[in-house]
């Protein structure tokens, strides 16, 4: 079902991208030299759709890097919590090996094999 909806969204987007590329085939000069507009030293002549696609791709990459850097605190907390969970699981397993065997009689009446915890000090 998700695959169907993904296709339902991506197919029109793909059609729009192809139409944009076909409609904007004219060559434009992309200049990287702001100081000499008449005869730039660093310039490329590319179709307009290539310039647009590269700009969009660069924006996606920069946005992804920014989001990744912004989530650093969350990833650090997650790593710390995973370490704490592993430590506590190891401690629990170690303590279970030293735990006394449960009594077969029910010392507290109808409670069965459950025992009350000692009061905190």
């Amino acid at each position: 079902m998700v695959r169907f909806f993904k296709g339902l969204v991506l197919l029109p987007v793909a059609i729009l991208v192809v139409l944009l590329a076909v409609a904007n085939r004219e060559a434009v000069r992309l200049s990287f030299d702001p100081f000499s507009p008449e005869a730039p030293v660093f310039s490329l002549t590319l179709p307009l759709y290539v310039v647009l696609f590269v700009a969009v791709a660069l924006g996606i990459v920069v946005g992804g890097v920014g989001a990744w850097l912004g989530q650093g605190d969350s990833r650090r907390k997650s790593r710390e919590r995973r370490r704490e969970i592993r430590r506590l699981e190891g401690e629990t397993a170690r303590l279970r090996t030293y735990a006394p065997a449960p009594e077969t009689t029910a010392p507290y009446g109808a409670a069965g094999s459950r025992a009350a915890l000692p009061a905190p000090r």
Side-chain angles (χ1 to χ4, degrees):
M1 191 66 149
V2 173
R3 188 180 220 174
F4 172 73
F5 286 123
K6 187 189 282 187
L8 191 65
V9 170
L10 291 180
L11 184 64
V13 170
I15 291 171
L16 286 174
V17 166
V18 169
L19 290 175
L20 178 76
V22 169
N24 294 292
R25 292 178 302 205
E26 300 257 347
V28 294
R29 186 173 69 181
L30 181 64
S31 174
F32 298 104
D33 188 8
F35 299 113
S36 61
E38 298 85 30
V41 177
F42 302 110
S43 67
L44 294 170
T45 303
L46 298 169
L48 180 61
Y49 72 90
V50 172
V51 174
L52 292 174
F53 291 166
V54 168
V56 168
L58 188 64
I60 290 171
V61 169
V62 169
V65 168
W68 183 76
L69 291 174
Q71 295 170 352
D73 290 338
S74 299
R75 288 193 310 276
R76 182 181 47 80
K77 286 178 185 176
S78 177
R79 278 192 308 271
E80 290 172 357
R81 288 178 180 153
R82 276 196 304 270
R83 277 190 225 116
E84 181 71 10
I85 287 170
R86 272 188 256 124
R87 186 186 68 78
L88 291 173
E89 285 174 345
E91 185 176 338
T92 302
R94 183 180 57 83
L95 290 174
R96 282 190 181 151
T97 61
Y98 296 116
E103 297 178 14
T104 56
T105 61
Y108 299 108
S113 64
R114 296 186 304 170
L117 296 174
R121 295 180 191 231

